[in-house]
Amino acid sequence: MRKALDEYTRKRDFDTTPEPSGKTGKPSAQRGRTNPALQFCVQKHDATRLHYDLRLELEGTLKSWAVPKGPSLDPHVKRIAIHVEDHPLDYATFEGHIPKGHYGAGDVIVWDRGVWVPDGEPTEAYRKGRLTFHLNGEKLTGRWHLVRIRQEGKQEPWLLIKSDDSYARPESEYDIVQALPDSVLSDRTLRPATSGQRPATRQATRQRQPGTTSNASAQAPLHEPATTQSRRELHTPALDGARAAPLPQSLKPALATLVDAAPAGHWRYEIKFDGYRILARIDGDEVRLFTRNGNDWTLKMPRQAEALGHLKLDSAWLDGEVVVLNKAGLPNFQSLQNAFDARRRWAPSSCIHGMRPPRGSIIPTLSY
């Protein structure tokens, strides 16, 4: 593995760049056809030009391609993907600012991450220049192809192509890099052509997507407040200004906001769990699980949905993090990725932590 990272190491001065050296990154457990899931990430990189770096775990490193225009969900759109040097596995979670004068200077965010499942034996397919695989990420899903084309000069060009499956969409209808510009890791975003500046927080730059709103009450017509008697019957605390309304069909989660100092007075902090943020919509017997980008993941985690149904809530939106804990009780994202194996449709041994229900309710941690 160290030899595979020689070019990566040669191009960087780790005394002055925040990029990982690769000395602490460890390959995932050996996987074969019975457990083919491997990690992938797509990093949005505002260097000389804004581009997207696709990285697939293989042979102990991240095989990497620079995709100038980013992935497209349109099978008729073939994106140029320039093959670049291997990166260490711990680069998959790297976000930050590469200083001016260094290789790749500019800002980096993790635009997407998850697992990839190759069709057949991936090492030989990679060497032959024709990879077919499935992505199971927070943004990118379905079947994809990477195909090497005739080399011109020093660059090794490939094509990144989406298969025509149920996840495909015409680019004229939906451009995923425009619709979902932000980090899946830290709520950061990048403005085009802003090399040399720190990544902004999403709170300062995000734009409301069509059909969504951060105000749940705006999702449906408002009705008169519930009576005192009905509140007692429902065991629901009366909140100033609260009005009865249908349960919203969609909800945008609150995101962290960068501030210069902690708020005055008594306050608490919460641990950042390294997992997938999931929102649960409970409406009677129906439980649906959504990513913060609005993707329906109920079928990927049916046991978690079933467990939430046992809470016997009439209606609720719950906001939390799905994680897998290691022996020390700490979240391990690699283990979570491994849980989303192609042969399973749930994440065994996972937990839903930090579910934040409406004020006045207490939701226990759920473990499996």
Side-chain angles (χ1 to χ4, degrees):
M1 183 182 72
R2 297 306 307 170
K3 186 176 181 180
L5 295 175
D6 283 351
E7 185 177 359
Y8 172 86
T9 303
R10 179 180 60 80
K11 291 180 175 180
R12 292 162 176 84
D13 179 359
F14 297 110
D15 291 331
T16 52
T17 181
E19 297 169 280
S21 66
K23 293 180 180 179
T24 58
K26 295 182 180 180
S28 304
Q30 188 67 32
R31 288 186 278 260
R33 292 181 182 274
T34 59
N35 186 16
L38 300 152
Q39 70 169 316
F40 89 92
C41 75
V42 178
Q43 282 160 315
K44 190 175 179 180
H45 188 180
D46 188 15
T48 305
R49 294 180 180 85
L50 185 69
H51 65 278
Y52 296 77
D53 293 308
L54 170 64
R55 310 194 195 281
L56 305 178
E57 177 190 356
L58 189 63
E59 300 180 302
T61 64
L62 295 173
K63 306 300 181 185
S64 300
W65 292 262
V67 185
K69 294 185 178 181
S72 172
L73 302 185
D74 193 332
H76 298 99
V77 175
K78 299 177 176 62
R79 292 289 200 229
I80 287 290
I82 304 300
H83 190 243
V84 297
E85 75 275 11
D86 289 6
H87 284 53
L89 295 180
D90 47 358
Y91 206 96
T93 55
F94 170 69
E95 288 193 332
H97 179 73
I98 303 173
K100 186 176 180 180
H102 289 262
Y103 178 77
D107 297 325
V108 178
I109 63 174
V110 179
W111 182 79
D112 194 18
R113 66 174 180 172
V115 297
W116 74 286
V117 182
D119 283 7
E121 205 290 309
T123 303
E124 185 62 24
Y126 166 72
R127 287 174 181 153
K128 289 182 177 179
R130 194 171 187 88
L131 272 170
T132 298
F133 50 92
H134 287 74
L135 294 182
N136 187 350
E138 295 192 41
K139 297 178 182 178
L140 301 180
T141 51
R143 196 164 184 251
W144 294 76
H145 307 275
L146 268 171
V147 182
R148 186 168 57 218
I149 58 178
R150 181 172 298 181
Q151 185 168 342
E152 297 180 5
K154 294 182 179 180
Q155 293 185 330
E156 183 184 304
W158 293 52
L159 294 176
L160 177 63
I161 309 167
K162 179 74 186 75
S163 278
D164 191 3
D165 57 18
S166 59
Y167 299 101
R169 296 180 67 177
E171 193 162 83
S172 58
E173 172 188 306
Y174 184 77
D175 184 343
I176 192 169
V177 299
Q178 295 295 324
L180 304 174
D182 304 317
S183 167
V184 297
L185 189 63
S186 67
D187 299 332
R188 292 176 175 176
T189 192
L190 290 180
R191 301 184 185 92
T194 56
S195 296
Q197 299 181 13
R198 302 273 177 175
T201 61
R202 185 184 305 183
Q203 183 70 21
T205 60
R206 65 179 176 176
Q207 295 180 347
R208 186 174 297 167
Q209 297 180 28
T212 63
T213 176
S214 59
N215 185 350
S217 63
Q219 299 278 346
L222 299 180
H223 300 280
E224 290 300 313
T227 64
T228 303
Q229 181 181 2
S230 64
R231 286 196 187 107
R232 262 200 304 267
E233 290 171 352
L234 295 172
H235 303 285
T236 303
L239 301 176
D240 293 339
R243 297 190 182 191
L247 188 68
Q249 292 297 321
S250 62
L251 202 65
K252 294 290 290 183
L255 302 174
T257 303
L258 183 65
V259 296
D260 294 328
H266 297 287
W267 55 276
R268 297 179 180 179
Y269 67 90
E270 66 177 33
I271 296 173
K272 183 184 185 303
F273 292 104
D274 193 13
Y276 287 131
R277 188 169 183 178
I278 295 293
L279 283 79
R281 183 183 188 275
I282 302 174
D283 188 7
D285 294 331
E286 183 184 47
V287 178
R288 304 285 293 280
L289 302 178
F290 297 93
T291 69
R292 65 184 179 191
N293 291 317
N295 298 318
D296 192 330
W297 276 26
T298 311
L299 292 179
K300 295 183 180 182
M301 296 182 291
R303 288 191 174 182
Q304 282 76 3
E306 180 184 359
L308 289 170
H310 293 323
L311 295 176
K312 305 298 183 184
L313 299 176
D314 290 332
S315 65
W317 271 98
L318 307 180
D319 179 15
E321 193 87 358
V322 175
V323 302
V324 170
L325 304 180
N326 60 20
K327 293 181 180 179
L330 300 175
N332 185 299
F333 186 73
Q334 181 66 63
S335 297
L336 177 62
Q337 290 178 315
N338 294 345
F340 282 94
D341 192 296
R343 295 179 183 274
R344 292 172 289 183
R345 303 188 71 180
W346 60 88
S349 303
S350 65
C351 305
I352 301 180
H353 277 271
M355 283 294 185
R356 293 187 283 273
R359 188 182 304 173
S361 300
I362 298 176
I363 301 299
T365 297
L366 307 177
S367 301
Y368 311 94

